[in-house]
């Protein structure tokens, strides 16, 4: 038996046995990744779809991923791949050179490791990210943040930006609905908030499970204290999926309320997602309150941030990476 050291699940594997993620196995006494350099496919997305609102707004990113996850979220919004262990879904070559070539071909400024959990393929993701950076491309991880401490620095140092899913602010929720633990995710968020990797956070609000005013308030209080007021927070609407098909979709009013709560704790950049809400999806200057990035869904329609990442109306600095926006 050998213990996998990539994430806090710490799976102990016998020969030919795979871990919880379905992508790491023991072969001839060595931990290996199955399979290497394959993907379920590529897509060209606006960076806002990740969602990243303060990382080169309006730019294009090449999105791709694999299968499997180190969580087993009952509400998974991408279960067809993230909760699958079916290797036959991996039909497209994704060597680091392939990734770079496609990103350049489609005029993307960045490459996003997404669709499933990139942490479970850490070695490959870091190799591909290095090739991207060597080619002048930015790198993005869309992740649950559930990574072992010893792996955290190398993995996220390979990324220029990350959006971390903070599933809830309840440890029992993480155990019951995700099959994981909250504290390692909080550790990752604290680490990223002081690193050179641009950080944004997403919380999917699920009716009756993690959308109470008390929990949202506790989350926002911790967020303001440990991550700071400048880190963008996205509240996203749940849509019935996977093992929770009978729960209702999140009402827009729940997201509006959550945004108000977050801003009452001093968070400067709070957004709504999965609903039609231009006001809640646009960036506003925290000083003069003018709209500096007007968005409609995932499209940037107006851009009022200068070359020094400041509001063009009053000169207030806007947190983020805008120099190539």
């Amino acid at each position: 038996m050998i213990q996998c050291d990539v994430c806090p699940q710490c799976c102990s594997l016998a020969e030919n046995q795979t871990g919880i993620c379905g992508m790491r196995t023991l072969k001839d006494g060595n931990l290996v990744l199955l399979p290497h350099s394959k993907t379920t496919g590529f897509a060209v997305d606006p960076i806002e779809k990740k969602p990243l609102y303060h990382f080169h707004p309006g730019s294009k990113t090449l999105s791709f991923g694999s299968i499997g996850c180190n969580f087993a979220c009952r509400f998974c919004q991408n279960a067809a791949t993230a909760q699958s262990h079916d290797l036959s879904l991996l039909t497209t070559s994704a060597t680091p050179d392939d990734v770079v070539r496609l990103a350049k071909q489609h005029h993307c400024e960045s490459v996003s490791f997404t669709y499933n959990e990139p942490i479970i393929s850490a070695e490959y993701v870091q190799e591909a990210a290095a090739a991207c950076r060597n080619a002048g491309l930015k790198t993005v991880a869309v992740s649950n943040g559930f990574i072992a401490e010893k792996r955290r620095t190398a993995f996220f140092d390979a990324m220029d930006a990350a959006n971390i899913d903070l599933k809830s602010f309840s440890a029992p929720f993480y155990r019951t609905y995700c099959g994981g633990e909250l504290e390692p995710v909080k550790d990752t968020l604290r680490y990223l908030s002081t690193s050179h990797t641009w950080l944004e956070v997403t919380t999917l609000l699920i009716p009756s499970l993690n959308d109470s005013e008390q929990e949202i308030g506790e989350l926002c209080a911790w967020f303001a204290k440990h991550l700071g007021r400048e880190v963008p927070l996205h509240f996203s609407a749940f849509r019935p999926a996977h093992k929770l098909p009978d729960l209702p979709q999140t009402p827009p009013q729940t997201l509006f309320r959550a945004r108000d709560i977050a801003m009452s704790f001093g968070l400067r950049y709070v957004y709504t997602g999965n609903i039609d809400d231009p006001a809640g999806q646009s960036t506003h200057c925290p000083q003069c309150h003018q709209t500096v990035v007007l968005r409609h869904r995932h499209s940037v329609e107006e851009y009022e941030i200068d070359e020094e990442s400041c509001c063009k109306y009053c000169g207030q600095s806007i947190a983020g990476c805008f120099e190539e926006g």
Side-chain angles (χ1 to χ4, degrees):
M1 302 288 285
I2 292 182
Q3 190 175 75
C4 182
D5 66 352
V6 169
C7 85
Q9 299 287 11
C10 298
C11 296
S12 292
L13 305 178
E15 188 71 13
N16 296 320
Q17 184 181 10
T18 55
I20 288 172
C21 67
M23 289 293 284
R24 306 183 71 83
T25 190
L26 193 65
K27 292 287 187 184
D28 299 323
N30 297 307
L31 281 168
V32 296
L33 180 63
L34 293 177
H36 198 276
S37 302
K38 291 285 187 179
T39 178
T40 55
F42 296 88
V44 176
D45 292 321
I47 194 67
E48 285 76 14
K49 197 173 179 179
K50 294 306 97 187
L52 287 169
Y53 280 8
H54 289 240
F55 186 75
H56 308 297
S59 67
K60 294 192 296 184
T61 188
L62 183 73
S63 299
F64 77 106
S66 182
I67 59 173
C69 186
N70 53 2
F71 277 172
C73 295
R74 297 176 61 186
F75 51 87
C76 184
Q77 305 285 285
N78 200 26
T81 54
Q83 298 299 321
S84 176
H85 294 174
D86 182 0
L87 298 180
S88 69
L89 294 174
L90 301 172
T91 58
T92 306
S93 176
T95 67
D97 288 344
D98 291 330
V99 173
V100 170
R101 174 179 54 81
L102 281 167
K104 293 285 190 178
Q105 178 182 326
H106 292 284
H107 308 290
C108 296
E109 291 186 19
S110 62
V111 169
S112 293
F113 304 92
T114 181
Y115 300 147
N116 76 311
E117 179 48 57
I119 284 170
I120 66 174
S121 304
E123 300 89 345
Y124 162 73
V125 168
Q126 288 167 225
E127 180 184 349
C132 290
R133 281 186 168 174
N134 288 338
L137 297 165
K138 307 293 185 187
T139 54
V140 174
V142 181
S143 170
N144 61 28
F146 196 61
I147 190 168
E149 182 179 2
K150 65 184 292 185
R151 295 278 196 144
R152 186 178 292 128
T153 299
F155 182 85
F156 285 108
D157 280 3
M159 300 298 149
D160 295 297
N163 187 294
I164 302 297
D165 287 328
L166 181 55
K167 311 281 186 181
S168 164
F169 207 64
S170 160
F173 178 97
Y174 262 83
R175 296 188 194 107
T176 302
Y177 291 97
C178 305
E181 297 290 336
L182 171 61
E183 288 304 318
V185 179
K186 290 165 66 177
D187 290 341
T188 293
L189 290 169
R190 279 188 287 253
Y191 168 78
L192 284 170
S193 71
T194 61
S195 75
H196 295 294
T197 303
W198 176 251
L199 170 66
E200 303 192 23
V201 179
T202 298
T203 295
L204 184 76
L205 292 179
I206 306 172
S208 76
L209 297 185
N210 68 347
D211 63 342
S212 70
E213 290 192 14
Q214 178 179 343
E215 182 173 336
I216 293 170
E218 291 172 355
L219 184 156
C220 294
W222 180 88
F223 197 105
K225 180 178 180 180
H226 294 280
L227 307 185
R229 298 189 301 160
E230 304 284 295
V231 174
L233 173 59
H234 303 255
F235 289 113
S236 189
F238 163 82
R239 291 171 180 165
H242 197 36
K243 296 182 178 180
L244 297 178
D246 298 325
L247 283 181
Q249 183 169 323
T250 310
Q253 191 59 42
T254 298
L255 302 186
F256 302 152
R257 175 172 51 87
R259 184 170 182 263
D260 288 343
I261 291 170
M263 295 179 73
S264 75
F265 279 92
L267 302 190
R268 290 185 162 185
Y269 308 109
V270 188
Y271 300 103
T272 59
N274 280 351
I275 62 170
D276 189 8
D277 178 25
Q281 289 152 12
S282 297
T283 300
H284 308 282
C285 174
Q287 178 166 283
C288 71
H289 307 296
Q290 292 280 358
T291 301
V292 292
V293 183
L294 178 64
R295 298 182 182 87
H296 184 257
R297 297 190 183 275
H298 297 127
S299 176
V300 172
E301 299 187 349
E302 293 181 21
Y303 186 84
E304 301 296 340
I305 298 176
D306 66 22
E307 294 177 355
E308 296 183 351
S309 300
C310 294
C311 169
K312 287 184 178 180
Y313 297 102
C314 72
Q316 169 70 31
S317 176
I318 307 296
C321 303
F322 301 108
E323 65 271 16
E324 297 171 16

